[in-house]
Amino acid sequence: MDNKNSILFIFLLLNISTFSQTITSTVITPVKNQYVSNNIPVKASVKSTYQLTSVIASISGFQSSLIYNSVSTYFEGSISTSGLHLRDTLTILITITDILNNQQSASVNVIYDPPPIITIKEPLNESVAHTTLPLKIFCIDNDTCNVIVGYRGKAIYTGKIKDSISTVLNFLAYDGTMDSLSVEVWDTRLQHSTVSSLVYVDTSSVLQEYY
């Protein structure tokens, strides 16, 4: 091959992506304006002239690789956004790259709304109730949330929480028991969180067997 033909071959090789490359993509899930939370399942339809080297889904600085599913024929995965605490409209961006370094992207706007983050400050785990125990819980959320505190399958406190609740729980009806005190919180979009703390109830002056 003479120099002229060599230069032409190299020129065509370098510019093959410009003349013939094709990448098309569509975000299948989530759909536009869908409410999403800390773990976002993502599914995309991708077609390419050349072999792909990566399909990356990202949102607000978090990203994850999508893997081809031969059964569904979609690229699938999920983005973990643990630690992202806001409620806002955000964009999921899917970036596709082929072996010639051609890129194409697709995007969809979603409404990010993580579930409430709740912490039980009181009672401490394995606390003993002598008829009553203080309840102090903190909640991080943009909403005023509904809260139910349960013990042995019954609600012993219901109310609303914005930032914190401080009250006293009565365990007199549960003398001699041991169980988890559960705190369940829902925001206005029904995002839900549950935490628990082990409680013993003993109103006597001597130790009893718990069941």
Side-chain angles (χ1 to χ4, degrees):
M1 183 181 295
D2 58 30
N3 289 339
K4 183 178 180 180
N5 288 334
S6 297
I7 294 172
L8 178 61
F9 176 77
I10 294 172
F11 175 81
L12 291 174
L13 183 62
L14 292 174
N15 289 275
I16 189 170
S17 62
T18 302
F19 295 113
S20 61
Q21 73 86 18
T22 302
I23 302 175
T24 59
S25 61
T26 304
V27 181
I28 305 301
T29 57
V31 298
K32 184 179 180 181
N33 293 331
Q34 179 177 328
Y35 289 105
V36 298
S37 187
N38 290 337
N39 194 57
I40 309 171
V42 180
K43 184 185 297 184
S45 173
V46 180
K47 299 184 184 301
S48 176
T49 305
Y50 301 106
Q51 180 181 345
L52 298 176
T53 56
S54 66
V55 179
I56 306 294
S58 61
I59 180 172
S60 194
F62 298 84
Q63 68 176 39
S64 179
S65 296
L66 304 185
I67 306 300
Y68 182 72
N69 184 327
S70 60
V71 176
S72 68
T73 70
Y74 295 131
F75 283 82
E76 301 175 357
S78 62
I79 311 173
S80 174
T81 55
S82 178
L84 183 61
H85 306 308
L86 79 165
R87 190 169 75 181
D88 201 357
T89 298
L90 302 176
T91 299
I92 292 178
L93 180 67
I94 298 178
T95 304
I96 304 101
T97 307
D98 69 15
I99 57 173
L100 297 179
N101 207 35
N102 299 308
Q103 285 192 333
Q104 198 266 352
S105 62
S107 64
V108 62
N109 288 337
V110 294
I111 300 173
Y112 184 80
D113 184 18
I117 299 173
I118 47 179
T119 305
I120 300 177
K121 291 296 184 182
E122 292 184 286
L124 299 175
N125 193 46
E126 299 188 353
S127 290
V128 178
H130 298 290
T131 70
T132 63
L133 273 179
L135 173 71
K136 190 171 187 179
I137 56 177
F138 291 90
C139 178
I140 300 175
D141 198 82
N142 297 88
D143 286 329
T144 296
C145 298
N146 295 305
V147 57
I148 297 178
V149 179
Y151 185 75
R152 295 183 74 81
K154 295 183 178 180
I156 59 175
Y157 175 87
T158 60
K160 294 185 179 296
I161 181 171
K162 175 58 179 174
D163 298 310
S164 65
I165 284 177
S166 185
T167 188
V168 176
L169 302 175
N170 192 320
F171 291 89
L172 185 60
Y174 303 99
D175 186 30
T177 63
M178 173 191 71
D179 212 331
S180 291
L181 181 75
S182 65
V183 178
E184 299 181 77
V185 176
W186 292 265
D187 66 15
T188 56
R189 289 173 175 155
L190 300 183
Q191 299 279 21
H192 173 256
S193 294
T194 302
V195 294
S196 62
S197 182
L198 187 62
V199 169
Y200 303 89
V201 183
D202 188 354
T203 62
S204 69
S205 58
V206 296
L207 293 177
Q208 299 184 29
E209 181 179 355
Y210 297 96
Y211 57 90

